[in-house]
């Protein structure tokens, strides 16, 4: 049987994982073509102090800030078959994660298959008639290199691994035209020093909102952390006070919060998340609805039922990313190899619709329908069971839940801990 040709869009963690497993099956797959927009591997982990656009007009995708440290320990953040250096602390700088991904890339000899500084412009399905086997879908991928030279190639499958943390979600705030201060999204935040001594409203208290607020307080900024969560009961640093969600900007430029309180600030820093954007995919042609907050329907959170040789890796949120990619990639390759039979298109669409409707009945808004959190363990277990590959060790869930608990109790101190995996089911705190 002829080798299958696979295109991989993106050389971040998900794309490197896809390429690594494709290269491990030379009897089935030709070496992949990995398209990478930038000059480096690493995706979101590749820090770039620049913001805005490159010289060629392409937006700079990095959302990494200089002092970011992981909020997951290396013991479970790793790809299950490729550990971090055991001498490193559990919670790493982004530079260490970048070095890890570069080592992963070298160790699995992925680099020769990456086309750096290459923009994927279009990914289109084409139906071919084959003798005796019926119609077959192939994929035409159009790309352009740094010189602007275009190239179109045909593949049996495409793995979309371009991530969803580069297009800022900008909330619609009534009265914003009255605000004359600085507005910045966390996507363009790099260091706290430019905001030293200033008054800053940080909108959003997810992981980045909380981390950035603490950084700003460390350079004597006066921070108002505006969010819709229950008020934090753990101690925040001096210089940070909590506020209700932002309702509007008054005519005098003051911020008005939902509880009626008001405040003035020189800076509005939006930690409001990111949009799903795949500019090279035409959702309508793929039977997909691609909205800012949702991509659907995706069977197994992975593939459009209308075109089950297209795989969107890592679309879910609140997951353990690298192990999650590891499971999704292996399941997808089993599908391509014909080892995992899929239901009909109608059945897959009905299953996805049922899952989404069940979440909505529980009050889950559209923007959170792709959050897995506690459901991620059964999800990965099911992929492994159906795909006939080794499931994640129970230690991943056990330590993840412990760190999540510690983060909610001691958000400033939990990264001081160091862990060791004693077995597949037991971890130890070593300091």
């Amino acid at each position: 049987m002829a080798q299958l040709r696979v295109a991989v869009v993106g050389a971040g963690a998900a794309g490197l994982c896809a390429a690594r497993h494709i290269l491990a099956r030379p009897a089935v797959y030709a070496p992949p073509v990995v398209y990478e927009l930038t000059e480096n591997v690493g995706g979101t982990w590749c820090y770039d102090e620049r913001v805005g656009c490159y010289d060629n007009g392409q937006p700079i995708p990095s959302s990494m800030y200089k002092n970011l440290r992981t909020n997951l320990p290396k013991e479970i953040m790793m790809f299950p078959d490729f550990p971090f250096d055991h001498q490193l602390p559990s919670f790493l700088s982004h530079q260490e994660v970048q070095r890890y991904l570069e080592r992963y890339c070298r160790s699995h000899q992925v680099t020769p298959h990456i086309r750096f500084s290459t923009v994927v412009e279009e990914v289109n399905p084409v139906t071919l008639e084959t003798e005796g086997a019926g119609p077959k879908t192939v994929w035409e991928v159009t790309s352009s290199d740094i010189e602007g030279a275009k190239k179109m190639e045909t593949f049996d499958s495409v793995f979309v691994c371009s991530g969803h943390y580069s297009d800022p979600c900008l909330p619609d705030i009534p009265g914003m035209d009255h605000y004359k201060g600085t507005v910045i999204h966390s996507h363009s935040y790099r260091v706290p020093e430019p905001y030293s001594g200033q008054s800053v409203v940080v909108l959003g208290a997810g992981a980045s909102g909380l981390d950035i607020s603490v950084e700003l307080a460390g350079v004597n900024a006066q921070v108002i952390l505006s969010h819709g969560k229950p008020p934090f009961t753990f101690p925040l640093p001096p210089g940070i006070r909590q506020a209700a969600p932002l309702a509007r900007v008054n005519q005098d430029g003051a911020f008005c919060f939902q509880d009626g309180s008001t405040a003035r600030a020189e800076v509005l820093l939006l930690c409001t998340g990111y949009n799903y954007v795949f500019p090279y995919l035409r959702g309508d042609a793929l039977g997909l609805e691609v909205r800012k907050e949702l991509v659907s329907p995706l069977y197994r959170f992975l593939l459009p039922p209308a075109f089950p040789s297209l795989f969107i890796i890592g679309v879910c949120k609140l997951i353990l990313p690298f192990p999650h990619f590891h499971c999704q990639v292996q399941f997808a390759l089993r599908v391509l190899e014909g080892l995992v039979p899929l239901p009909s298109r109608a059945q897959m669409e009905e299953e996805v619709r049922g899952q989404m409707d069940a979440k909505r009945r529980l009050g889950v808004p559209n923007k959170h329908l792709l959050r897995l959190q506690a459901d991620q363990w059964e999800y990965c277990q099911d992929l492994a069971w159906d795909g006939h590959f080794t499931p994640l060790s129970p230690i991943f869930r056990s330590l993840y839940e412990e760190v999540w608990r510690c983060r909610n109790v001691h958000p400033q101190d939990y990264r001081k801990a160091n862990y060791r995996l004693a077995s597949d089911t037991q971890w130890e705190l070593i300091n």
Side-chain angles (χ1 to χ4, degrees):
M1 189 177 77
Q3 291 174 306
L4 297 173
R5 295 197 72 220
V6 180
V8 178
V9 184
L16 295 178
C17 181
R20 169 259 187 276
H21 285 284
I22 291 167
L23 287 166
R25 296 163 166 81
V28 181
Y29 299 100
V33 175
V34 183
Y35 299 94
E36 170 52 41
L37 174 66
T38 72
E39 300 173 350
N40 306 287
V41 302
T44 194
W45 292 100
C46 187
Y47 175 73
D48 192 332
E49 64 182 11
R50 297 171 295 177
V51 298
C53 294
Y54 294 117
D55 293 341
N56 65 2
Q58 287 290 327
I60 294 172
S62 176
S63 298
M64 189 63 56
Y65 44 97
K66 185 176 182 179
N67 299 321
L68 182 140
R69 289 176 65 202
T70 60
N71 59 10
L72 295 166
K74 73 179 193 302
E75 288 75 18
I76 57 171
M77 187 175 172
M78 65 181 185
F79 291 113
D81 56 356
F82 196 82
F84 281 88
D85 181 347
H86 73 277
Q87 295 180 326
L88 293 171
S90 286
F91 294 92
L92 305 173
S93 67
H94 63 78
Q95 293 94 334
E96 288 293 353
V97 180
Q98 175 67 14
R99 282 191 280 271
Y100 168 84
L101 291 173
E102 290 170 353
R103 183 165 61 89
Y104 182 87
C105 184
R106 289 193 304 271
S107 295
H108 298 299
Q109 300 180 312
V110 175
T111 309
H113 309 290
I114 303 175
R115 296 183 188 170
F116 293 104
S117 301
T118 300
V119 179
V120 173
E121 297 185 351
E122 291 184 69
V123 173
N124 291 313
V126 176
T127 301
L128 301 179
E129 293 297 331
T130 59
E131 286 189 25
K136 175 188 176 182
T137 297
V138 297
W139 297 89
E140 291 183 348
V141 177
T142 303
S143 64
S144 59
D145 63 19
I146 197 168
E147 303 296 332
K150 290 195 176 188
K151 189 173 187 178
M152 193 276 283
E153 296 165 278
T154 302
F155 298 91
D156 297 293
S157 174
V158 176
F159 279 60
V160 173
C161 302
S162 51
H164 51 88
Y165 291 108
S166 59
D167 189 73
C169 178
L170 303 176
D172 183 14
I173 302 171
M176 270 301 292
D177 55 322
H178 300 306
Y179 182 64
K180 305 306 178 186
T182 299
V183 181
I184 180 176
H185 191 277
S186 58
H187 171 66
S188 300
Y189 172 88
R190 294 295 183 264
V191 293
E193 285 77 15
Y195 310 99
S196 175
Q198 296 191 49
S199 52
V200 183
V201 168
V202 175
L203 183 57
S208 61
L210 198 52
D211 275 357
I212 291 172
S213 294
V214 171
E215 280 200 5
L216 293 172
V219 294
N220 296 316
Q222 293 77 53
V223 179
I224 298 173
L225 180 56
S226 169
H227 64 92
K229 298 181 177 183
F232 297 131
T233 56
F234 47 75
L236 290 168
I240 301 178
R241 70 177 177 88
Q242 299 181 72
L246 183 58
R248 64 181 183 276
V249 179
N250 291 336
Q251 288 188 353
D252 62 358
F255 293 109
C256 181
F257 303 97
Q258 286 185 8
D259 62 0
S261 63
T262 61
R264 294 184 177 276
E266 296 160 277
V267 180
L268 174 62
L269 205 162
L270 303 170
C271 295
T272 46
Y274 295 87
N275 300 317
Y276 290 106
V277 176
F278 305 101
Y280 47 85
L281 297 179
R282 290 194 300 119
D284 55 346
L286 300 173
L288 275 179
E289 184 179 12
V290 181
R291 300 198 302 227
K292 291 181 178 181
E293 76 282 2
L294 181 64
V295 184
S296 190
L298 287 176
Y299 181 67
R300 298 291 188 98
F301 298 106
L302 190 56
L303 59 94
F307 292 95
S309 56
L310 176 74
F311 303 97
I312 304 181
I313 306 296
V315 77
C316 295
K317 299 177 180 179
L318 294 185
I319 54 169
L320 194 52
F322 296 4
H324 183 90
F325 305 157
H326 174 87
C327 292
Q328 285 195 321
V329 164
Q330 291 191 85
F331 180 84
L333 293 177
R334 300 301 196 279
V335 169
L336 275 182
E337 293 158 21
L339 300 177
V340 177
L342 296 177
S344 69
R345 173 180 176 177
Q347 289 172 316
M348 288 191 280
E349 289 176 341
E350 180 59 31
E351 181 173 321
V352 175
R353 189 159 45 246
Q355 290 173 338
M356 297 296 104
D357 288 347
K359 288 189 174 187
R360 289 188 179 101
R361 284 195 295 272
L362 294 173
V364 178
N366 280 342
K367 66 179 181 178
H368 294 161
L369 288 175
L370 295 179
R371 285 185 172 185
L372 284 189
Q373 189 64 315
D375 295 333
Q376 66 180 304
W377 314 113
E378 183 178 0
Y379 170 76
C380 287
Q381 182 77 25
D382 288 347
L383 292 185
W385 176 264
D386 293 341
H388 309 291
F389 58 88
T390 304
L392 297 180
S393 161
I395 201 71
F396 284 90
R397 177 175 187 171
S398 174
L399 186 49
Y400 179 94
E401 291 178 346
E402 169 64 11
V403 170
W404 187 270
R405 183 191 66 81
C406 292
R407 193 161 70 210
N408 288 331
V409 176
H410 303 292
Q412 290 179 259
D413 297 330
Y414 75 95
R415 291 185 178 97
K416 296 177 181 177
N418 283 291
Y419 300 94
R420 184 177 75 85
L421 302 186
S423 69
D424 281 350
T425 58
Q426 189 172 6
W427 51 265
E428 297 175 348
L429 184 64
I430 58 176
N431 72 335

